[in-house]
């Protein structure tokens, strides 16, 4: 899977995109934290994960037919901010 990073996630990882072989959301997240470090983990901790338009947990499987995996950050201040920080294709 190709992980594309945006905004604070891109800044924390130091790259705009990367490739992972993991077959689950949790496996990919763990591999990304190991690769990018604690600052990336802090950004990730503030996000929810959505796969193909639905919120998913760490045990969700990844496949070549997935339309996209997004990590959305909630909340900022008194309002909700929906910012797409990641995309997996």
């Amino acid at each position: 899977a190709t992980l594309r990073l945006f905004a604070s996630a891109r800044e924390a990882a130091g790259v705009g995109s990367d490739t992972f072989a993991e077959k689950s959301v949790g496996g990919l997240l763990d591999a990304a934290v190991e690769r990018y470090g604690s600052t990336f983990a802090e950004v990730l901790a503030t996000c929810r994960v959505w796969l193909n338009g639905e919120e998913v947990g760490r045990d969700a499987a990844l496949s070549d037919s997935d339309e996209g995996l997004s990590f959305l950050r909630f909340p900022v201040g008194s309002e909700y901010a929906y910012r797409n920080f990641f995309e997996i294709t």
Side-chain angles (χ1 to χ4, degrees), residues 25-43:
V25 169
L28 189 143
L29 298 180
D30 292 343
V33 167
E34 184 175 322
R35 193 174 292 180
Y36 306 136
S38 62
T39 302
F40 182 82
E42 290 172 12
V43 171

Side-chain angles (χ1 to χ4, degrees), residues 6-7 10-11 15 18 25-26 31 39 50 52-53 57 64-65 74 79:
F6 305 96
R10 182 181 191 145
E11 188 175 310
V15 297
D18 208 344
V25 169
T39 302
W50 293 70
N52 300 327
D64 292 338
S65 64
F74 302 92
E79 298 180 15

Side-chain angles (χ1 to χ4, degrees), residues 10-27:
R10 182 181 191 145
E11 188 175 310
V15 297
S17 67
D18 208 344
T19 303
F20 291 84
E22 283 69 24
K23 299 296 182 189
S24 70
V25 169

Side-chain angles (χ1 to χ4, degrees), residues 7-87:
S8 59
R10 182 181 191 145
E11 188 175 310
V15 297
S17 67
D18 208 344
T19 303
F20 291 84
E22 283 69 24
K23 299 296 182 189
S24 70
V25 169
L28 189 143
L29 298 180
D30 292 343
V33 167
E34 184 175 322
R35 193 174 292 180
Y36 306 136
S38 62
T39 302
F40 182 82
E42 290 172 12
V43 171
L44 187 60
T46 65
C47 298
R48 293 184 183 174
V49 181
W50 293 70
L51 179 62
N52 300 327
E54 295 185 27
E55 189 170 4
V56 296
R58 295 178 54 85
D59 60 338
L62 297 173
S63 72
D64 292 338
S65 64
D66 289 329
E67 296 174 11
L69 178 65
S70 300
F71 297 77
L72 305 173
R73 195 170 185 180
F74 302 92
V76 175
S78 60
E79 298 180 15
Y80 287 96
Y82 298 87
R83 291 193 244 165
N84 194 350
F85 288 100
F86 307 81
E87 178 182 36

